[in-house]
């Protein structure tokens, strides 16, 4: 928890990376999820929960399919226009190279917590 507050105070750019790596998503923990589930059971009843979950799953799948279709259409139109779409791979390789250089430079340094 101390590292989390340190990350907020001094490394605002790394907050998202820290949160994803340590399993903190939207600052919801186990007890909060339990309370939310309890409220859902009280409101809808145990019989309706599978139907609700199925509906949410279908909705999420439709959204994913729609975004994949949009991405595919954008890539196809870019290829038809002769636009190079491989620049993302170049950027990612440069970012990974910089990360490796930083890790090599700061590797032996250990921060006290």
């Amino acid at each position: 928890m101390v590292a989390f507050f340190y990350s907020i105070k001094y490394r605002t750019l790394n907050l998202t990376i820290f949160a994803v790596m340590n399993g903190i998503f939207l600052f919801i923990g186990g007890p909060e999820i339990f309370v939310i589930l309890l409220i859902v059971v009280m409101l809808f009843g145990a019989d309706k929960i599978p139907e609700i979950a199925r509906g949410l799953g279908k909705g999420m799948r439709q959204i994913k399919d729609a975004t994949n279709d949009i991405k595919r259409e954008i890539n196809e139109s870019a290829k038809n226009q002769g636009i190079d779409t491989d620049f993302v791979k170049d950027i990612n390789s440069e970012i990974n190279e910089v990360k490796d250089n930083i890790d090599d430079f700061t590797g032996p340094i250990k921060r006290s917590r």
Side-chain angles (χ1 to χ4, degrees):
M1 195 68 174
V2 173
F4 177 73
F5 290 119
Y6 173 79
S7 177
I8 288 175
K9 189 172 180 182
Y10 295 106
R11 298 181 183 181
T12 57
L13 295 176
N14 292 334
L15 177 61
T16 306
I17 296 169
F18 183 83
V20 170
M21 289 175 60
N22 289 316
I24 300 171
F25 184 73
L26 296 176
F27 305 104
I28 296 177
E32 289 88 1
I33 291 174
F34 179 74
V35 169
I36 291 170
L37 289 175
L38 183 66
I39 291 171
V40 167
V41 169
M42 288 173 49
L43 286 177
F44 299 109
D47 298 339
K48 298 286 182 180
I49 292 176
E51 294 175 23
I52 293 170
R54 233 177 275 122
L56 286 173
K58 286 180 183 178
M60 290 172 56
R61 184 65 183 174
Q62 288 176 348
I63 291 171
K64 184 177 179 182
D65 290 343
T67 55
N68 286 338
D69 288 342
I70 292 170
K71 286 179 187 177
R72 185 174 32 88
E73 288 180 18
I74 290 172
N75 286 333
E76 286 176 4
S77 64
K79 286 180 184 178
N80 290 340
Q81 296 295 325
I83 299 172
D84 184 24
T85 57
D86 293 331
F87 66 92
V88 175
K89 292 178 185 175
D90 296 336
I91 292 171
N92 283 335
S93 66
E94 292 293 326
I95 289 172
N96 288 333
E97 186 176 323
V98 170
K99 283 181 186 178
D100 291 340
N101 289 338
I102 290 173
D103 287 341
D104 290 342
F105 182 71
T106 61
I109 301 171
K110 299 288 182 186
R111 293 189 187 267
S112 62
R113 296 184 192 243

